[in-house]
Amino acid sequence: MRLLLRIGLAAALQACLLPSASAQWQGSIGLSARGVVHAEYDTAGQRLVRETGWLPGIALAAAYRTGDVTVFGGADWYRDDIAYRGQTQAGVATNSRTATALGAVRLGAAYAWGGGYALRAALELDRWKRDIAGTGRSVGLQETYRSVRLIAGVGKAWQSRFGALGADAAVVLSTPERMHVAFSGVIDPVSLDTKRGRGIRIGASLRPAAAPRLELRSSVDWIKVPRNDAVALNADNPFLGTVAQPEHTRQALSLTVAALF
């Protein structure tokens, strides 16, 4: 996670240190909040787990425009506890908390073809960490997911009496999540790959006419990842059975207030 922050800070600092005459560069740093909903489902489509909550965070970005092409990069990071509602392997309902950390670094480009429209594409490195607290009926789980996403879509920008407005929509295609799971030392950790994920991302922004150095941004994300193939589960080498990551969906609403420079 420190690497994600260093990359984002480096991009923002580089933009800050450029001469003011270079109007082609722009950077931003903002405070953000992300409302998340994570759900897991069994093979019959019944929900097994639901996690919900708000995560505070920071968002960094930088962009360079030359002609009709804009190259952009960014990083964001969120962390806090959220509510966990699930069930044990025996099917007994259980409530707990999940210490959650989300981080992403992205690099992409946009091509403007007129009328305020632009084609946009980016690669994004996503990292998701879950530390599910144990209860009297179950041990805690420590899970880490890593994946690379292709985000491709279209954006639109226009001026209004309220200020500069922007909107965008994109499809999200994810590589299999590389997942590592620990069982609080009770069972040997396992590593597995999920299936490829697919989703959408929709965003909007406003730079108020009264405060042109301020930007308000929002985005909605939704991605679905199918159930993966089972892998062996062991305890000090003896075989205990198999484990698989269920089909799951990740939803997020992000709200950001950023200062432009």
Side-chain angles (χ1 to χ4, degrees), residues 12-13 16 24 36 39 50 52 58 68 83 88 103 108 112 114 139 158 163 174 202 217 221 229 240 249 251 258:
L13 287 174
C16 285
Q24 293 174 313
V36 296
R50 179 179 170 88
T52 60
I58 59 173
D68 294 330
T88 66
V139 300
W158 64 94
S174 173
I202 300 172
R217 297 196 297 262
D221 289 74
D229 298 327
L240 296 179
T249 60
Q251 304 174 58

Side-chain angles (χ1 to χ4, degrees), residues 32-35 76 78 106 168 200-205 216-222 251-256:
S32 189
R34 177 169 291 183
D76 47 64
Y78 301 88
R106 68 195 61 85
D168 58 86
I200 59 173
R201 177 173 296 176
I202 300 172
S205 65
L216 309 177
R217 297 196 297 262
S218 65
S219 68
V220 176
D221 289 74
W222 179 90
Q251 304 174 58
L253 169 63
S254 302
L255 304 173
T256 302

Side-chain angles (χ1 to χ4, degrees), residues 10 33 48 67 74 80 88 93 110 117 131 135-136 167 170 193 213 221 223 226 261:
L48 299 172
D80 207 344
T88 66
Y117 289 95
D131 189 349
T135 66
D193 290 336
R213 291 294 181 180
D221 289 74
I223 190 167
F261 45 80

Side-chain angles (χ1 to χ4, degrees), residues 96-165:
S96 185
R97 302 289 294 177
T98 302
T100 302
L102 298 173
V105 173
R106 68 195 61 85
L107 179 64
Y111 175 75
W113 80 77
Y117 289 95
L119 294 174
R120 300 169 57 88
L123 288 178
E124 181 176 84
L125 173 62
D126 178 79
R127 185 176 187 271
W128 175 28
K129 185 175 182 181
R130 303 165 70 199
D131 189 349
I132 305 169
T135 66
R137 292 168 288 189
S138 61
V139 300
L141 297 177
Q142 300 78 45
E143 301 180 350
T144 302
Y145 304 73
R146 292 183 178 88
S147 63
V148 177
R149 298 172 173 178
L150 171 63
I151 303 164
V154 62
K156 165 70 173 174
W158 64 94
Q159 291 288 332
S160 75
R161 63 190 180 93
F162 302 105
L165 296 171

Side-chain angles (χ1 to χ4, degrees), residues 77-90:
W77 181 76
Y78 301 88
R79 183 171 183 174
D80 207 344
D81 288 356
I82 60 177
Y84 177 95
R85 302 289 183 269
Q87 60 186 42
T88 66
Q89 293 294 327

